[in-house]
Amino acid sequence: MHRRRRTALSFSVALLAAAPLLTACGSDAHPGAAAVVGGQRIEVSTLQGAVRDVRTAQEASPQSAELIKNTGRLSQIKLNGMIFDRILQRAADDADVTVSRKEIQAARQQAVAQSGGEKQFLALALQQGAVTPDQLDEAIRRDVLLTKVGAALGADSMTPQGQQKLVAGLAATSKKLSIDVNPRYGSWDNSKVQLGDAKTPWITQVTKEAPQEQPTDA
């Protein structure tokens, strides 16, 4: 039996909009890199491409002004997700956990049904998660993989105790990866598995409206 999802957009990337307000000062030990995770670079150009894709999709929406306003720190939101992806994948590798294409398709079908159709699902993904259609399958994969990693750790993410156990397991993996973030985007908190003091996105299911004064996305 598969546990019913709490929402049609329960995948972890959907609620990364609580990233902290960060300054652009400090030295850059890795020119051209937004972050280095386990010795592997996340290029600034890659991050900017993901941000640009979201902004393009938002601008085409009838709710464009509201969508853009609520994701003023989009670079931090997307980088947070990219770093988390690598931590989660390492945790999955350590636990010998994989996700099949069939599982991704099944999860997407369920989310579409719960949203009331494909059109509504795509709109919710953009609104709640700053996720474009091209980014959806990867976002859904993350959600399925997170659930399976939690199960491998014996952590039920539906309970506070399970959430704590899941965070602890991912935090241990995060520490092993020696994450170094470009100061332009902030600093990584291993204990919370996120940038700065952001809310834990895959657990809280709370999206905060970004403040008016934001760093400009390049």
Side-chain angles (χ1 to χ4, degrees):
M1 294 287 292
H2 294 286
R3 185 184 299 277
R4 181 178 177 84
R5 292 175 182 272
R6 285 168 290 179
T7 69
L9 287 173
S10 65
F11 43 81
S12 56
V13 74
L15 297 167
L16 292 169
L21 183 62
L22 304 166
T23 62
C25 60
S27 61
D28 183 5
H30 304 281
V36 179
V37 184
Q40 296 183 338
R41 296 162 59 94
I42 297 175
E43 301 293 346
V44 170
S45 59
T46 300
L47 174 61
Q48 290 175 336
V51 169
R52 185 167 55 250
D53 289 346
V54 173
R55 288 295 186 226
T56 298
Q58 289 175 333
E59 289 167 359
S61 169
Q63 292 81 36
S64 59
E66 180 181 0
L67 292 175
I68 293 171
K69 176 184 176 182
N70 290 342
T71 53
R73 291 173 285 189
L74 188 55
S75 287
Q76 283 80 10
I77 293 169
K78 301 307 282 187
L79 181 58
N80 197 53
M82 289 176 177
I83 295 172
F84 180 75
D85 277 348
R86 298 194 181 194
I87 296 169
L88 180 60
Q89 187 58 59
R90 174 64 178 271
D93 292 342
D94 290 346
D96 197 23
V97 170
T98 61
V99 173
S100 68
R101 182 65 188 168
K102 184 177 181 180
E103 287 174 309
I104 295 172
Q105 291 174 338
R108 177 164 182 157
Q109 289 171 359
Q110 182 183 33
V112 168
Q114 292 178 352
S115 301
E118 182 77 14
K119 183 177 180 180
Q120 293 89 335
F121 177 56
L122 296 179
L124 281 172
L126 185 62
Q127 178 185 2
Q128 295 186 12
V131 179
T132 68
D134 288 344
Q135 298 168 354
L136 263 174
D137 280 356
E138 186 59 32
I140 294 170
R141 178 185 181 276
R142 178 188 297 122
D143 190 45
V144 176
L145 189 59
L146 182 64
T147 299
K148 295 182 76 171
V149 167
L153 294 174
D156 181 356
S157 62
M158 298 293 286
T159 68
Q161 296 82 1
Q163 292 171 7
Q164 292 173 5
K165 189 170 185 178
L166 178 56
V167 171
L170 292 173
T173 301
S174 180
K175 291 176 183 177
K176 289 191 293 186
L177 292 175
S178 301
I179 297 165
D180 183 15
V181 176
N182 186 322
R184 175 183 180 184
Y185 304 106
S187 60
W188 187 257
D189 187 330
N190 286 316
S191 65
K192 295 181 180 180
V193 201
Q194 60 198 7
L195 275 171
D197 60 356
K199 293 291 184 182
T200 309
W202 61 94
I203 291 174
T204 61
Q205 294 286 314
V206 174
T207 302
K208 288 186 177 181
E209 179 176 319
Q212 293 287 335
E213 297 180 3
Q214 310 294 344
T216 302
D217 291 313

